[in-house]
Amino acid sequence: VNRPDGMTIYPTDAQKQASNNGYSILEKLTLANLRIDNINHTISVVDNRGGVQIRINGIVVGKQEMLALDPKEIAKIEFINNPGVRYGDGIAYVIDIHTRRSESGYTLGTDITSALTSMQGDGMVYGKLNKGKNEWSFSYDMSGYKNNGSKSTQLAEYTLTDGSIHTIERNDIETLSKTIAHEAKLTYNWADSTATVFQASLAGSLSNAPDNYRIKDIMDGIRHYRATSRDDDKRHSPVLDLYFFRQISPHQSLTANAVGTYISTQTSSFYDEGSPYQYDVDGKTASLLTEVIYENRLRPFTVSTGLNYSAKYTKNDYLGDASSLTRTNNNRLYAFAEIKGMLGQLRYALGSGASYIHYTQNDHRFHFWTFRPKVSLAY
């Protein structure tokens, strides 16, 4: 069914029966300009217009929710190929999957992907319990790899100020790269039919890439020596996501969302090609994203307006050969209004968005306004 901003798709029972997660059902729909990879669990844009955003019942989701999705519960899929100003900059496509909710029952599942020729894998377990208006769900994902046989050869030619050519050849002798990551998520959802929905989710991720190194054999003119590089990286991040939806009337709805994130990163880097160079980074980032959207589906067109506020604070402490302390504070306020409708076979969208951005780095302050009008016609 065509819509002013795209189309609504109703998957057939045969497509649902032949699918086992959200990626596999989307793969069978052959959505224009999107490449769905059910093996690697990715969705990419072919025409490079921007990114793609995945939602389930209006809530932005990731890989864990897509793998835990039961295709048999899908009622319809909204494929929005003209998102307009509501979804902000950089979003070219939106896929919103609407499901029928079970009043009771549970779901347990696992998804494991393992490479046969290398030490690389991704494993996930998930579960969901429904009881009346309440739904509890969890997921745990562990991924990692280890590669100690990758080698490369590099031949570099440098043109010096006197016009002469200086050649350096670098050949890998020994390499090791490895990482392991854990991610867990708990979600509670309360829904009163389709009139009111509240959801709270708490997620946490932890990754560790210890002692990755590369030893190179270097020919620099008549000089012959070896160079070594080493890298360590550790990070953890908790995320709290709150979502609220209220159907005010058959045509009017209100949506609110708030996401708080904290990221801690410790990185160590060492490189020695003639002379050693080493530094450590202790990074901390805290961010808050809030959004309120009002929508009124009138008979000739749909009116939507909203307000988005985001704040992000970053502190990076560099120690060693590169020593500095960098603090940045970024605040952004974004307001938009939009009208979408259809005149016969003609689809149109008229909208505008305005942003106020305030940016501070150490003692330097910047602030500016941006305005984004948009007119779209499609037949």
Side-chain angles (χ1 to χ4, degrees), residues 230-242:
R230 295 184 181 275
D231 294 286
D232 293 291
D233 185 272
K234 297 179 181 179
R235 64 185 62 197
H236 66 272
S237 174
V239 180
L240 177 63
D241 190 338
L242 302 176

PDB file of all heavy atoms in Angstrom, residues 230-242:
ATOM      1  N   ARG A 230      52.437  -1.837  19.003  1.00  0.00           N
ATOM      2  CA  ARG A 230      51.572  -2.550  19.939  1.00  0.00           C
ATOM      3  C   ARG A 230      50.387  -1.665  20.306  1.00  0.00           C
ATOM      4  O   ARG A 230      50.542  -0.456  20.474  1.00  0.00           O
ATOM      5  CB  ARG A 230      52.332  -2.945  21.208  1.00  0.00           C
ATOM      6  CG  ARG A 230      53.449  -3.944  20.975  1.00  0.00           C
ATOM      7  CD  ARG A 230      54.112  -4.365  22.287  1.00  0.00           C
ATOM      8  NE  ARG A 230      55.189  -5.303  22.058  1.00  0.00           N
ATOM      9  CZ  ARG A 230      55.023  -6.618  21.942  1.00  0.00           C
ATOM     10  NH1 ARG A 230      53.817  -7.135  22.045  1.00  0.00           N
ATOM     11  NH2 ARG A 230      56.058  -7.402  21.736  1.00  0.00           N
ATOM     12  N   ASP A 231      49.217  -2.293  20.452  1.00  0.00           N
ATOM     13  CA  ASP A 231      47.995  -1.562  20.784  1.00  0.00           C
ATOM     14  C   ASP A 231      47.170  -2.373  21.773  1.00  0.00           C
ATOM     15  O   ASP A 231      47.041  -3.601  21.638  1.00  0.00           O
ATOM     16  CB  ASP A 231      47.153  -1.288  19.532  1.00  0.00           C
ATOM     17  CG  ASP A 231      47.855  -0.347  18.569  1.00  0.00           C
ATOM     18  OD1 ASP A 231      47.921   0.848  18.873  1.00  0.00           O
ATOM     19  OD2 ASP A 231      48.335  -0.823  17.519  1.00  0.00           O
ATOM     20  N   ASP A 232      46.611  -1.680  22.750  1.00  0.00           N
ATOM     21  CA  ASP A 232      45.659  -2.260  23.698  1.00  0.00           C
ATOM     22  C   ASP A 232      44.449  -1.343  23.764  1.00  0.00           C
ATOM     23  O   ASP A 232      44.583  -0.112  23.750  1.00  0.00           O
ATOM     24  CB  ASP A 232      46.272  -2.395  25.094  1.00  0.00           C
ATOM     25  CG  ASP A 232      47.391  -3.422  25.134  1.00  0.00           C
ATOM     26  OD1 ASP A 232      47.089  -4.614  24.995  1.00  0.00           O
ATOM     27  OD2 ASP A 232      48.552  -3.010  25.294  1.00  0.00           O
ATOM     28  N   ASP A 233      43.273  -1.942  23.873  1.00  0.00           N
ATOM     29  CA  ASP A 233      42.048  -1.142  23.912  1.00  0.00           C
ATOM     30  C   ASP A 233      41.020  -1.843  24.794  1.00  0.00           C
ATOM     31  O   ASP A 233      40.712  -3.020  24.591  1.00  0.00           O
ATOM     32  CB  ASP A 233      41.496  -0.941  22.500  1.00  0.00           C
ATOM     33  CG  ASP A 233      40.299  -0.012  22.483  1.00  0.00           C
ATOM     34  OD1 ASP A 233      39.165  -0.505  22.646  1.00  0.00           O
ATOM     35  OD2 ASP A 233      40.486   1.190  22.302  1.00  0.00           O
ATOM     36  N   LYS A 234      40.501  -1.103  25.775  1.00  0.00           N
ATOM     37  CA  LYS A 234      39.438  -1.608  26.647  1.00  0.00           C
ATOM     38  C   LYS A 234      38.346  -0.553  26.732  1.00  0.00           C
ATOM     39  O   LYS A 234      38.645   0.633  26.852  1.00  0.00           O
ATOM     40  CB  LYS A 234      39.958  -1.916  28.048  1.00  0.00           C
ATOM     41  CG  LYS A 234      40.995  -3.014  28.119  1.00  0.00           C
ATOM     42  CD  LYS A 234      41.453  -3.229  29.554  1.00  0.00           C
ATOM     43  CE  LYS A 234      42.521  -4.316  29.630  1.00  0.00           C
ATOM     44  NZ  LYS A 234      42.984  -4.519  31.030  1.00  0.00           N
ATOM     45  N   ARG A 235      37.095  -0.997  26.695  1.00  0.00           N
ATOM     46  CA  ARG A 235      35.998  -0.034  26.834  1.00  0.00           C
ATOM     47  C   ARG A 235      34.762  -0.725  27.388  1.00  0.00           C
ATOM     48  O   ARG A 235      34.554  -1.917  27.168  1.00  0.00           O
ATOM     49  CB  ARG A 235      35.688   0.629  25.495  1.00  0.00           C
ATOM     50  CG  ARG A 235      35.175  -0.298  24.408  1.00  0.00           C
ATOM     51  CD  ARG A 235      35.035   0.469  23.092  1.00  0.00           C
ATOM     52  NE  ARG A 235      36.321   0.980  22.647  1.00  0.00           N
ATOM     53  CZ  ARG A 235      36.452   1.939  21.734  1.00  0.00           C
ATOM     54  NH1 ARG A 235      35.374   2.509  21.235  1.00  0.00           N
ATOM     55  NH2 ARG A 235      37.642   2.332  21.345  1.00  0.00           N
ATOM     56  N   HIS A 236      33.979   0.044  28.128  1.00  0.00           N
ATOM     57  CA  HIS A 236      32.687  -0.446  28.620  1.00  0.00           C
ATOM     58  C   HIS A 236      31.686   0.700  28.553  1.00  0.00           C
ATOM     59  O   HIS A 236      32.056   1.881  28.667  1.00  0.00           O
ATOM     60  CB  HIS A 236      32.794  -1.027  30.026  1.00  0.00           C
ATOM     61  CG  HIS A 236      33.127  -0.020  31.077  1.00  0.00           C
ATOM     62  ND1 HIS A 236      34.436   0.318  31.414  1.00  0.00           N
ATOM     63  CD2 HIS A 236      32.340   0.743  31.884  1.00  0.00           C
ATOM     64  CE1 HIS A 236      34.434   1.214  32.362  1.00  0.00           C
ATOM     65  NE2 HIS A 236      33.166   1.504  32.675  1.00  0.00           N
ATOM     66  N   SER A 237      30.409   0.333  28.381  1.00  0.00           N
ATOM     67  CA  SER A 237      29.394   1.360  28.179  1.00  0.00           C
ATOM     68  C   SER A 237      28.027   0.863  28.638  1.00  0.00           C
ATOM     69  O   SER A 237      27.491  -0.095  28.074  1.00  0.00           O
ATOM     70  CB  SER A 237      29.323   1.752  26.698  1.00  0.00           C
ATOM     71  OG  SER A 237      28.255   2.641  26.458  1.00  0.00           O
ATOM     72  N   PRO A 238      27.424   1.490  29.656  1.00  0.00           N
ATOM     73  CA  PRO A 238      26.017   1.238  29.997  1.00  0.00           C
ATOM     74  C   PRO A 238      25.112   2.225  29.255  1.00  0.00           C
ATOM     75  O   PRO A 238      25.503   3.376  29.004  1.00  0.00           O
ATOM     76  CB  PRO A 238      25.971   1.467  31.508  1.00  0.00           C
ATOM     77  CG  PRO A 238      27.049   2.475  31.755  1.00  0.00           C
ATOM     78  CD  PRO A 238      28.107   2.261  30.702  1.00  0.00           C
ATOM     79  N   VAL A 239      23.892   1.774  28.925  1.00  0.00           N
ATOM     80  CA  VAL A 239      22.923   2.598  28.193  1.00  0.00           C
ATOM     81  C   VAL A 239      21.549   2.401  28.820  1.00  0.00           C
ATOM     82  O   VAL A 239      21.098   1.266  29.007  1.00  0.00           O
ATOM     83  CB  VAL A 239      22.865   2.229  26.694  1.00  0.00           C
ATOM     84  CG1 VAL A 239      21.842   3.104  25.980  1.00  0.00           C
ATOM     85  CG2 VAL A 239      24.229   2.374  26.045  1.00  0.00           C
ATOM     86  N   LEU A 240      20.870   3.501  29.128  1.00  0.00           N
ATOM     87  CA  LEU A 240      19.497   3.475  29.636  1.00  0.00           C
ATOM     88  C   LEU A 240      18.598   4.151  28.607  1.00  0.00           C
ATOM     89  O   LEU A 240      18.844   5.292  28.209  1.00  0.00           O
ATOM     90  CB  LEU A 240      19.390   4.195  30.981  1.00  0.00           C
ATOM     91  CG  LEU A 240      17.981   4.293  31.588  1.00  0.00           C
ATOM     92  CD1 LEU A 240      17.434   2.895  31.894  1.00  0.00           C
ATOM     93  CD2 LEU A 240      17.996   5.154  32.846  1.00  0.00           C
ATOM     94  N   ASP A 241      17.549   3.435  28.198  1.00  0.00           N
ATOM     95  CA  ASP A 241      16.654   3.921  27.140  1.00  0.00           C
ATOM     96  C   ASP A 241      15.213   3.871  27.654  1.00  0.00           C
ATOM     97  O   ASP A 241      14.722   2.807  28.052  1.00  0.00           O
ATOM     98  CB  ASP A 241      16.803   3.052  25.891  1.00  0.00           C
ATOM     99  CG  ASP A 241      16.099   3.638  24.675  1.00  0.00           C
ATOM    100  OD1 ASP A 241      15.179   4.460  24.851  1.00  0.00           O
ATOM    101  OD2 ASP A 241      16.454   3.268  23.541  1.00  0.00           O
ATOM    102  N   LEU A 242      14.522   5.026  27.646  1.00  0.00           N
ATOM    103  CA  LEU A 242      13.130   5.131  28.070  1.00  0.00           C
ATOM    104  C   LEU A 242      12.283   5.604  26.892  1.00  0.00           C
ATOM    105  O   LEU A 242      12.638   6.587  26.223  1.00  0.00           O
ATOM    106  CB  LEU A 242      12.980   6.111  29.239  1.00  0.00           C
ATOM    107  CG  LEU A 242      13.792   5.804  30.496  1.00  0.00           C
ATOM    108  CD1 LEU A 242      13.612   6.914  31.520  1.00  0.00           C
ATOM    109  CD2 LEU A 242      13.394   4.454  31.091  1.00  0.00           C
TER     110      LEU A 242
END
